[in-house]
Amino acid sequence: MAGSRLPRQLFLQGVAAVFMFAFASLYMQIPGLYGPEGILPARRTLRPQGKGRWPQLWETPTLLWETPLLGLDTAQGLELLSLLGTLLALGALLLHQLRHLLVYLLLWAAYLSAYQVGQVFLYFQWDSLLLETGFLALLVAPLRLPPRHKQAQGRLAGVSPHEDLPFWLVRWLLFRLMFASGVVKLTSRCPAWWGLTALTYHFETQCLPTPASWFAHHLPVWLHKLGVVATFLIEIAVPPLFFAPVRRLRLAAFYSQVLLQVLIIVTGNYNFFNLLTLVLTTALLDDAHLAAASGNSRRKKTPTSWPKALLALLLELAVYGLLACGVVHCFGLEVDWKQRTVHSKTTFTFHQFSQWLKMVTLPTMWLGAASLAWELLTALWRWTQMRGWLQKFCAAVQLSIFGTATVALFMISLVPYSYMEPSTHGRLWTGAHRLFGTVEHLQLAHSYGLFRRMTGLGGRPEVVLEGSYDGHHWTEIEFMYKPGNVSRAPPIVVPHQPRLDWQMWFAALGPHTHSPWFTSLVLRLLQGKEPVIRLIQNHAPRYPFHKQPPTYVRAQRYKYWFSKPGEQGQWWRRQWVEEFFPSVSLGDPTLDMLLRQFGLQDKSPPRARSSSSTLAQALRWMRKRLSALETPALLWGLLGTVGAIRVMQALLGPQSSPRAKEEKHRPAPPEDSVAASKQASPDPDGSKPDAPDASSCIGRDAAALLRERRKDDPAVISTAACPVIWIRE
């Protein structure tokens, strides 16, 4: 790849932005989800088992073990970690000095700590993806701060030959994510994916649609089918091009992934997941492409020999032709010119696809191994080109450490990657299985497979909570984000993830006994606990029982469909299906039995802690100030703050003066002067230069003379950028 310094910086900034969104979104929901009066109090998850500190920390790696030392309970410690994570990520996003290995280590450790106590509300694939990406970010981040001056950057270029190795793991992670996401759609035997009709249901049945989902849902069916074909192409056929030797093929793969993620963002509220996937795609870019896109490319293009250019062009045409023929053959694409449509159908069977998957899974691993071997050889070659024994020794140590870590993480990732093909998983090297089992609890590698099956084929299932004071007159409890009122437009909440709304969507897919937390939610509503009510409606007047908790609570299951074009004032249509949760009240035997069955009864109430702790008081003060804000507004406010600061930095930052520009465009000095300047400058390895000749001495004397003259006459041109001054009579 043609240099990856700019993509690495873009990747680190992107990871910091995603961490900022994730921590801030989680912080706003902690009291209702994990507080002492929350749905699943976090204090229940951390119970000392009589082990030592370090064995306990290794078994359950979370910094929240230490919160009692600060006078905080588990939920308050989680709030502290989320606040610090948000601020640290914001700092890393704004200041290049904070894009350091230690900063990303703290971000990863803080999110891993939250993950350990997050229970079902943090068990999403994007949480696992963020942890894996965050660990790779701490390897990609520099060990030392980058030099400020361009001249220093030039002298230090090539000092760290290992820098591209961890960044290669980002490309491998992107490949695993996309390829597995495409494969599992077919291995699940879902009739919607095999019939190419998944998108005719997806926009309507996804967890949190956007207003654009309504319009996408009413597109022609043939276009939906073509969209499914394009999804299979981008997720299964394109990812091997991430390792293509031709640069333009990698860039084509990059833009195809960006297109898919942008379309998902527009038509669905998938929190920070698609933003994180876009961050991963930076591993397909290089310095030359980013510099050309920003208009800052000053390098002269090196001429390419015509046989090499012709070979690359023929390879590109062959790849594009193979992809086009494969898509037409596998999905039977036919253009109907009369009706102006494109007909498509799946022409292969599940058995044929299973045989193909068995045939290609192991070769894709070897493809990754070959690409990694090339990166290792390239790093080794860069190391051999370094000068200076001390610099070369330090680089060798770094290359050994990061090279070993890269190979180890690649081996670990092969285990979850092979889950999609059982026979290949069984043939995997046993050492890789042992290594994965050793570090599995650190969340360093995961298996992925998004949208495995399409749900709600007969209508979108939705759970609607109802409350009553007398058991006869019921009032619906409407959530802020999930569908409820048929006249309310779907909201736009990205990059926020309302975790209760998401779990309500999963709960609607089965009986309430499959979602034990739902019983705890009903209990908190009967008790009128404000932290839980804020998860449903942040503004008290919008909650129908804000003055007095309901005496009875029940839940009904409905089926929802998007309204048809022409139905004024309605976004949804719905139909009652069945009772989801029976009517219960406080002290009801049914409710008590369910709480005992799921282990949700408070056997030991939380111990009251002293409120005199300065840190606890500061956390309560911060919570009081932020609780009135809508979480999406807070996240967009953070993003707007970052944008405003960046604009101010660009406007108030150092700008080149007209004289500097004049010097910049001045013609290059003669070769003799360049030679003299090289003699006067030290070698990169730190050795002293030879004794200066007469021309360099004249240059220094002339520079001193001009500096004296500048004190009297400011019009004299600065000599800062001129290595040698030529004196004219």
Side-chain angles (χ1 to χ4, degrees):
M1 300 196 55
S4 62
R5 184 180 64 85
L6 293 178
R8 288 200 307 270
Q9 289 299 315
L10 191 60
F11 168 75
L12 292 176
Q13 293 181 62
V15 172
V18 174
F19 266 124
M20 180 184 71
F21 291 140
F23 277 120
S25 174
L26 179 62
Y27 170 79
M28 298 297 288
Q29 304 174 76
I30 288 174
L33 296 178
Y34 306 117
E37 299 180 344
I39 300 174
L40 296 177
R43 60 184 172 81
R44 298 175 181 171
T45 61
L46 293 182
R47 299 187 184 275
Q49 302 296 327
K51 301 178 181 178
R53 166 179 286 186
W54 295 112
Q56 181 176 261
L57 185 62
W58 174 255
E59 183 177 330
T60 307
T62 175
L63 300 175
L64 296 174
W65 287 114
E66 310 301 324
T67 53
L69 301 178
L70 302 175
L72 305 175
D73 60 25
T74 306
Q76 289 174 327
L78 191 56
E79 288 188 20
L80 179 62
L81 283 180
S82 299
L83 280 176
L84 293 178
T86 302
L87 295 177
L88 200 59
L90 179 62
L93 187 58
L94 292 173
L95 303 174
H96 76 281
Q97 293 91 342
L98 290 180
R99 293 176 208 138
H100 190 270
L101 182 148
L102 292 178
V103 172
Y104 287 92
L105 175 61
L106 291 174
L107 290 173
W108 173 78
Y111 206 78
L112 178 63
S113 300
Y115 180 87
Q116 296 296 330
V117 301
Q119 305 167 78
V120 69
F121 293 108
L122 268 172
Y123 291 169
F124 293 96
Q125 289 196 46
W126 34 84
D127 294 311
S128 302
L129 181 63
L130 179 56
L131 283 171
E132 186 171 354
T133 306
F135 190 81
L136 296 184
L138 73 90
L139 296 179
V140 173
L143 287 169
R144 58 181 176 181
L145 297 179
R148 286 180 173 272
H149 305 291
K150 293 183 178 180
Q151 293 179 355
Q153 289 181 3
R155 289 196 300 269
L156 292 175
V159 169
S160 302
H162 72 274
E163 290 179 344
D164 285 342
L165 289 178
F167 199 48
W168 178 89
L169 287 172
V170 179
R171 204 178 348 153
W172 173 245
L173 172 57
L174 178 66
F175 170 80
R176 288 165 39 218
L177 172 67
M178 301 311 300
F179 188 73
S181 296
V183 165
V184 298
K185 292 176 174 59
L186 295 174
T187 56
S188 67
R189 300 195 183 195
C190 175
W193 286 114
W194 278 90
L196 307 182
T197 59
L199 290 184
T200 61
Y201 307 103
H202 166 72
F203 300 113
E204 183 179 67
T205 61
Q206 61 184 322
C207 179
L208 297 178
T210 66
S213 304
W214 187 92
F215 296 96
H217 176 73
H218 291 97
L219 291 173
V221 174
W222 69 267
L223 196 57
H224 285 161
K225 288 188 173 184
L226 205 59
V228 174
V229 172
T231 301
F232 286 136
L233 173 65
I234 293 174
E235 292 186 347
I236 298 179
V238 170
L241 298 182
F242 297 169
F243 308 103
V246 179
R247 177 171 172 264
R248 285 196 295 267
L249 287 176
R250 294 194 301 270
L251 293 178
F254 164 78
Y255 283 109
S256 67
Q257 302 302 320
V258 170
L259 175 63
L260 177 62
Q261 300 307 318
V262 169
L263 290 176
I264 296 176
I265 291 174
V266 171
T267 58
N269 287 296
Y270 289 96
N271 49 80
F272 56 80
F273 165 63
N274 303 109
L275 300 178
L276 182 56
T277 307
L278 288 174
V279 171
L280 295 177
T281 61
T282 57
L284 303 178
L285 299 174
D286 53 49
D287 290 340
H289 185 70
L290 287 178
S294 61
N296 294 329
S297 181
R298 298 172 185 169
R299 280 184 167 181
K300 293 182 178 179
K301 293 184 178 180
T302 55
T304 306
S305 60
W306 70 265
K308 186 177 179 180
L310 180 61
L311 181 61
L313 179 60
L314 291 177
L315 181 58
E316 284 184 68
L317 294 177
V319 169
Y320 295 143
L322 183 62
L323 289 177
C325 292
V327 169
V328 172
H329 173 73
C330 293
F331 298 101
L333 297 183
E334 295 181 359
V335 180
D336 189 337
W337 298 104
K338 293 183 179 180
Q339 298 182 0
R340 297 182 179 180
T341 61
V342 178
H343 299 291
S344 56
K345 61 179 179 180
T346 306
T347 60
F348 53 92
T349 64
F350 177 80
H351 176 73
Q352 291 173 329
F353 179 76
S354 299
Q355 293 299 316
W356 175 85
L357 183 61
K358 186 181 300 184
M359 182 178 63
V360 303
T361 301
L362 195 59
T364 57
M365 296 181 183
W366 285 112
L367 174 64
S371 178
L372 176 57
W374 177 260
E375 293 290 339
L376 289 169
L377 291 175
T378 303
L380 186 61
W381 179 83
R382 289 175 181 169
W383 176 78
T384 61
Q385 302 303 306
M386 299 181 66
R387 301 177 61 182
W389 68 269
L390 181 60
Q391 191 177 12
K392 200 168 185 177
F393 173 76
C394 294
V397 174
Q398 293 180 5
L399 181 58
S400 301
I401 295 174
F402 283 89
T404 303
T406 301
V407 174
L409 286 173
F410 173 70
M411 295 297 299
I412 291 171
S413 69
L414 293 179
V415 177
Y417 172 70
S418 62
Y419 286 160
M420 62 184 180
E421 212 293 295
S423 63
T424 303
H425 179 75
R427 289 182 294 168
L428 206 59
W429 180 46
T430 56
H433 287 280
R434 288 196 299 268
L435 190 59
F436 175 76
T438 303
V439 299
E440 184 178 6
H441 64 292
L442 297 178
Q443 313 299 322
L444 301 184
H446 300 267
S447 60
Y448 301 101
L450 298 167
F451 308 108
R452 184 186 303 266
R453 297 188 64 88
M454 199 55 55
T455 59
L457 301 186
R460 171 197 181 93
E462 199 68 58
V463 172
V464 176
L465 280 164
E466 296 177 342
S468 173
Y469 290 118
D470 57 8
H472 300 287
H473 302 87
W474 296 89
T475 303
E476 291 188 8
I477 300 175
E478 186 176 356
F479 283 65
M480 286 185 288
Y481 308 116
K482 82 180 194 70
N485 186 347
V486 295
S487 301
R488 187 173 59 117
I492 298 177
V493 301
V494 65
H496 170 52
Q497 181 182 1
R499 296 182 179 269
L500 177 59
D501 295 64
W502 268 87
Q503 286 299 334
M504 289 289 290
W505 181 79
F506 283 106
L509 301 178
H512 71 85
T513 53
H514 291 179
S515 304
W517 58 267
F518 190 86
T519 303
S520 181
L521 171 63
V522 171
L523 173 66
R524 296 310 189 195
L525 294 180
L526 289 170
Q527 294 171 340
K529 299 301 183 182
E530 182 183 355
V532 176
I533 293 174
R534 284 188 175 275
L535 296 176
I536 298 174
Q537 285 293 343
N538 196 45
H539 297 291
R542 298 180 184 174
Y543 183 68
F545 303 98
H546 64 279
K547 294 182 179 179
Q548 180 183 350
T551 307
Y552 303 93
V553 170
R554 70 181 185 185
Q556 308 288 341
R557 196 199 312 266
Y558 286 82
K559 284 193 174 181
Y560 277 65
W561 298 270
F562 270 137
S563 62
K564 297 180 180 179
E567 296 183 13
Q568 299 296 329
Q570 284 195 340
W571 287 84
W572 298 95
R573 294 178 294 114
R574 75 177 188 178
Q575 179 182 349
W576 181 85
V577 178
E578 61 183 349
E579 184 181 67
F580 178 78
F581 193 90
S583 172
V584 295
S585 60
L586 290 177
D588 190 290
T590 302
L591 179 62
D592 292 340
M593 182 268 294
L594 290 172
L595 291 173
R596 287 195 304 269
Q597 178 182 344
F598 299 134
L600 297 174
Q601 281 187 323
D602 286 329
K603 298 180 181 179
S604 57
R607 290 174 295 177
R609 295 189 178 273
S610 173
S611 60
S612 61
S613 169
T614 304
L615 187 55
Q617 291 179 357
L619 288 173
R620 284 194 292 269
W621 180 87
M622 181 64 69
R623 171 66 61 186
K624 187 175 181 180
R625 296 297 180 274
L626 296 177
S627 60
L629 294 177
E630 295 280 357
T631 308
L634 174 64
L635 300 188
W636 283 104
L638 287 173
L639 186 60
T641 301
V642 171
I645 294 176
R646 285 291 181 87
V647 171
M648 294 298 293
Q649 289 176 340
L651 294 177
L652 302 179
Q655 298 180 357
S656 57
S657 63
R659 288 178 181 171
K661 292 181 180 179
E662 182 179 344
E663 293 176 3
K664 178 181 173 182
H665 296 291
R666 180 180 299 170
E671 294 181 1
D672 295 338
S673 67
V674 175
S677 67
K678 289 183 178 179
Q679 291 178 0
S681 60
D683 290 336
D685 61 351
S687 60
K688 295 182 179 181
D690 297 332
D693 58 8
S695 62
S696 62
C697 292
I698 292 174
R700 285 196 295 272
D701 293 340
L705 177 61
L706 283 180
R707 281 196 296 270
E708 292 295 330
R709 289 186 60 191
R710 286 198 66 190
K711 296 179 180 179
D712 301 326
D713 184 7
V716 177
I717 299 176
S718 172
T719 64
C722 303
V724 176
I725 305 300
W726 291 83
I727 302 178
R728 296 176 56 188
E729 293 184 358

